[in-house]
């Protein structure tokens, strides 16, 4: 069998998750070296990626980003070629630079989008129209209408379009999903996810303007539920509540925490279940950057997962006590080489690129990946519907929103309407 053709990759977005560069320095988080760019450079080192480009809005940032990547990647790991084309040109600001960048790529190439939530649809649409495979950070888009349009476009163009929800690759979450299959009808889920309040400084440019904390963090556990209950249950009603005060005191007009209460209906037997998702970006500094946990109960059993505490703690002079999660990203080199290939932060991208290469090579078809291996645009409608309904509920002073379907057994949401009492 001939070797797979190396992939060309365009990274859209230059912020924390892509480069680890925020406010002129390394991000004050658990991702100071970034995730996306580091992973792409390592995949090139391992022969899976060829051309790499990065596109943002402000070209004035690129000299600092290049120095940051040299310091945090090139000087730390051996064998890393940091060659990366950048758009727009240094010293220029161009919100439409993505169009010029996409024009330099072709069908079968890959776009990875990590930008503010309200830009996802336009960027993904531009890339898919070019015939590029697309991976978009969660939430893939903000509305059900955008989701349906992007799903139709990706099907028309024959491209793979997926959501980057790396919790699916977390072995604890993946095992919980598989165990839940034997626990009978869904009964109850409670999920909590947070980030420390200093992250509001990182997200200040878009927090409360283009998105909210529910779209940003509740999306993880909403996706876990949709993935776990696929073909068994569907969300039918969403009610949202929020807490406020801390962000607004910083001059950011957004909620501090958002809770979504979602009524699920088990389509196999007509029973109901309830899921409660809470996310916050005003947590205090603690031993972890992000608290992440959930409790799942089925008719025959229950599961507890604390993603934040994996039994690994580190204490170093001059640094806060920390509970580490090397299952997500392993930044510590082994004999001078990056050795995080088994981490789910890396595997999320590598699995997607491998699938794209197989589609390009005729080894598999785009539709093959609707089986749960990847979070495709065609299998994640419910997550988008829940998040949009939550935002609409908040905007309507907590009025419940009903998610509608084509029929009693339908699994693809068709609309969102205010609940009539």
């Amino acid at each position: 069998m001939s070797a797979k053709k190396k992939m060309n990759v365009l990274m859209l977005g230059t912020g924390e998750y892509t480069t680890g560069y925020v406010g002129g320095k390394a991000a004050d988080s658990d991702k100071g070296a970034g995730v996306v760019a580091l992973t792409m450079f390592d995949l090139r080192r391992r022969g899976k990626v060829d051309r790499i480009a990065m596109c943002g809005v402000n070209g004035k940032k690129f000299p600092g980003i290049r120095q940051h990547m040299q310091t945090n990647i090139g000087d730390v790991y051996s064998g890393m070629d940091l060659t990366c084309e950048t758009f727009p040109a240094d010293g220029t600001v161009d919100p439409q630079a993505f169009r010029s960048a996409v024009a330099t790529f072709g069908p079968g190439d890959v776009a990875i989008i990590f930008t503010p939530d309200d830009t996802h649809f336009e960027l993904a649409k531009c890339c898919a129209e070019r015939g590029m495979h697309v991976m978009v950070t969660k939430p893939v888009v903000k509305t059900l209408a955008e989701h349906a349009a992007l799903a139709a476009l990706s099907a028309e163009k024959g491209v793979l379009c997926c959501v980057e929800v790396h919790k699916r690759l977390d072995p604890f979450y993946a095992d919980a999903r598989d165990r839940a299959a034997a626990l009978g009808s869904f009964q109850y889920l409670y999920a909590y996810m947070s980030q420390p309040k200093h992250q509001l400084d990182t997200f200040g440019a878009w927090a409360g303007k283009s998105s909210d904390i529910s779209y940003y963090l509740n999306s993880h556990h909403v996706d876990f539920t949709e993935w776990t209950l696929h073909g068994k249950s569907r969300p039918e009603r969403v009610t949202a509540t929020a807490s406020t005060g801390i962000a607004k005191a910083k001059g950011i007009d957004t909620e501090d925490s958002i809770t979504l209460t979602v009524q699920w209906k088990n389509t196999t037997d007509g029973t109901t279940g309830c899921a409660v998702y809470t996310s916050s970006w005003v947590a205090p500094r603690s031993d972890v950057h992000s608290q992440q946990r959930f409790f799942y109960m089925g008719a025959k059993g229950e599961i507890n997962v604390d993603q934040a505490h994996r039994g690994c703690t580190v204490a170093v002079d001059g640094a806060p006590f920390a509970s580490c999660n090397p299952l997500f990203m392993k930044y510590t080199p082994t004999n001078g080489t990056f050795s995080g290939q088994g981490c789910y932060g890396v595997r999320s991208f590598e699995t997607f690129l491998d699938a794209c290469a197989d589609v390009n090579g005729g080894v598999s078809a785009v539709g093959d990946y609707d089986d749960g291996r990847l979070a495709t645009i065609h299998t994640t409608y419910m997550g988008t519907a829940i998040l949009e309904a939550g935002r609409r509920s908040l905007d309507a002073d907590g009025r419940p929103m009903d998610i509608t379907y084509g029929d009693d057994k339908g699994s693809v949401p068709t609309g969102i309407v205010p609940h009539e009492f």
Side-chain angles (χ1 to χ4, degrees):
M1 179 181 290
S2 61
K4 294 180 183 178
K5 184 179 179 181
K6 295 180 181 180
M7 304 300 293
N8 296 321
V9 178
L10 171 62
M11 301 179 290
L12 292 152
T14 64
E16 179 184 34
Y17 208 83
T18 299
T19 66
Y21 186 79
V22 177
K25 63 183 190 312
D28 184 13
S29 71
D30 58 347
K31 297 177 280 290
V35 178
V36 186
L38 171 59
T39 299
M40 294 307 115
F41 294 140
D42 185 59
L43 287 173
R44 178 159 60 192
R45 181 182 68 87
R46 294 191 282 129
K48 291 191 173 185
V49 167
D50 187 10
R51 181 189 174 203
I52 298 174
M54 182 188 306
C55 179
V57 170
N58 188 353
K60 298 175 184 178
K61 294 181 180 180
F62 285 128
I65 290 174
R66 293 187 195 100
Q67 182 56 56
H68 166 82
M69 293 195 300
Q70 182 60 46
T71 300
N72 291 275
I73 300 176
D75 294 346
V76 176
Y77 310 109
S78 62
M80 290 289 203
D81 174 8
L82 305 188
T83 302
C84 180
E85 300 166 55
T86 53
F87 300 83
D90 289 11
T92 65
V93 177
D94 181 5
Q96 297 296 308
F98 69 92
R99 299 191 185 280
S100 299
V102 169
T104 70
F105 284 80
D109 291 339
V110 170
I112 298 175
I113 301 172
F114 275 76
T115 58
D117 297 347
D118 63 340
T119 67
H120 291 177
F121 177 69
E122 183 180 20
L123 296 176
K125 180 174 179 288
C126 180
C127 295
E129 287 174 339
R130 185 68 174 169
M132 299 177 72
H133 303 295
V134 185
M135 172 169 266
V136 189
T137 185
K138 47 71 193 167
V140 60
V141 289
K142 293 186 66 181
T143 69
L144 195 55
E146 290 176 340
H147 196 116
L150 188 56
L153 176 62
S154 62
E156 175 190 339
K157 296 295 183 179
V159 299
L160 197 55
C161 181
C162 294
V163 193
E164 201 286 316
V165 274
H166 48 259
K167 301 307 300 177
R168 292 194 182 201
L169 282 300
D170 181 333
F172 283 38
Y173 278 57
D175 183 66
R177 184 247 188 178
D178 292 341
R179 289 178 185 272
L183 298 184
S185 297
F186 170 60
Q187 288 283 305
Y188 176 73
L189 178 136
Y190 169 73
Y192 176 72
M193 199 164 185
S194 72
Q195 292 207 338
K197 58 175 63 73
H198 71 266
Q199 281 292 97
L200 281 170
D201 299 326
T202 299
F203 304 141
W206 58 264
K209 301 170 186 174
S210 65
S211 194
D212 59 38
I213 188 57
S214 182
Y215 275 112
Y216 184 68
L217 284 187
N218 275 335
S219 48
H220 275 295
H221 286 115
V222 165
D223 178 74
F224 171 76
T225 316
E226 178 173 19
W227 183 43
T228 299
L229 300 179
H230 180 74
K232 305 171 186 175
S233 189
R234 70 185 194 185
E236 296 199 332
R237 185 169 301 154
V238 180
T239 306
T241 53
S243 59
T244 61
I246 296 175
K248 290 183 178 180
K250 290 175 169 281
I252 302 173
D253 187 17
T254 190
E255 299 87 1
D256 296 338
S257 305
I258 295 175
T259 295
L260 306 180
T261 301
V262 182
Q263 184 78 68
W264 289 74
K265 182 177 181 180
N266 297 313
T267 53
T268 51
D269 58 14
T271 60
T272 58
C274 177
V276 181
Y277 309 94
T278 296
S279 58
S280 174
W281 46 18
V282 298
R285 286 184 183 269
S286 68
D287 59 325
V288 296
H289 179 70
S290 176
Q291 298 285 353
Q292 303 179 25
R293 54 183 178 267
F294 73 85
F295 169 81
Y296 177 97
M297 184 172 69
K300 300 177 182 178
E302 63 186 42
I303 303 169
N304 267 295
V305 172
D306 181 356
Q307 188 272 351
H309 300 93
R310 304 300 181 99
C312 175
T313 61
V314 177
V316 180
D317 288 344
F321 176 79
S323 293
C324 298
N325 179 16
L327 294 178
F328 168 59
M329 283 295 289
K330 182 183 180 298
Y331 288 109
T332 308
T334 300
N335 298 324
T337 302
F338 178 69
S339 55
Q341 293 82 11
C343 300
Y344 61 83
V346 172
R347 289 181 56 230
S348 180
F349 296 106
E350 185 168 2
T351 300
F352 176 69
L353 260 69
D354 285 345
C356 294
D358 283 343
V359 169
N360 289 351
V363 177
S364 60
V366 169
D368 293 344
Y369 298 97
D370 291 339
D371 62 357
R373 281 178 287 173
L374 296 175
T376 69
I377 190 72
H378 306 291
T379 58
T380 50
Y381 279 90
M382 292 180 187
T384 297
I386 289 172
L387 294 170
E388 182 188 359
R391 183 66 255 171
R392 290 174 61 174
S393 175
L394 280 177
D395 292 342
D397 294 325
R399 182 175 181 175
M401 294 288 156
D402 291 337
I403 298 173
T404 60
Y405 297 83
D407 55 58
D408 290 343
K409 295 295 184 180
S411 60
V412 176
T414 56
I416 300 168
V417 297
H419 179 68
E420 297 295 336
F421 292 96

